[in-house]
Amino acid sequence: MTSDGVTNDGIDVNAVPSGPGCADCDPQTGWWLHLRRCAECGHIGCCDSSPSQHATAHYARTGHPVIQSYEPGEDWMWDFATADYVEGPPLAAPRHHPLDQPVPGPTGHVPQNWQSLLHE
């Protein structure tokens, strides 16, 4: 790790999360199942089971390979480039979305038939 907190695999331990929910979901109608955090820049995107799959789209757009779960009680990391789990240093707080935020979320956006809209 360099003195500025960046590892040679693109993890920046100082990058703070972009917010409490998916940065790319439509603010009026978007919803997600689970959230993922880019370990390089802090971008929060929705998981691949979510309708919009913004975490993977962020990797495709930026080349930032490592994400971490942004769910309470989870700290696993995934590397898109190797398609495998990886170990990494603790990232800057907060390490998960707000505890009062429902899963799926956000409140008021999740349709009644949400389970039928998920990707496998």
Side-chain angles (χ1 to χ4, degrees):
M1 185 178 321
T2 63
S3 61
D4 62 356
V6 179
T7 65
N8 60 1
D9 55 4
I11 296 173
D12 182 348
V13 299
N14 298 311
V16 296
S18 60
C22 181
D24 299 313
C25 279
D26 183 289
Q28 303 303 313
T29 60
W31 64 276
W32 52 80
L33 178 61
H34 294 123
L35 296 170
R36 307 295 181 235
R37 173 185 180 174
C38 176
E40 188 164 340
C41 72
H43 178 273
I44 302 298
C46 51
C47 72
D48 281 353
S49 295
S50 299
S52 297
Q53 304 174 324
H54 286 126
T56 297
H58 177 75
Y59 164 63
R61 184 174 63 252
T62 65
H64 298 169
V66 180
I67 58 169
Q68 184 172 51
S69 175
Y70 199 55
E71 296 298 317
E74 297 180 359
D75 64 357
W76 56 263
M77 291 182 162
W78 177 261
D79 186 329
F80 286 110
T82 64
D84 201 3
Y85 292 97
V86 294
E87 297 288 325
L91 302 179
R95 294 197 176 97
H96 56 76
H97 64 73
L99 293 175
D100 62 352
Q101 182 173 293
V103 174
T107 301
H109 290 222
V110 183
Q112 291 276 330
N113 65 335
W114 67 270
Q115 290 172 315
S116 69
L117 302 173
L118 296 177
H119 296 274
E120 292 187 26

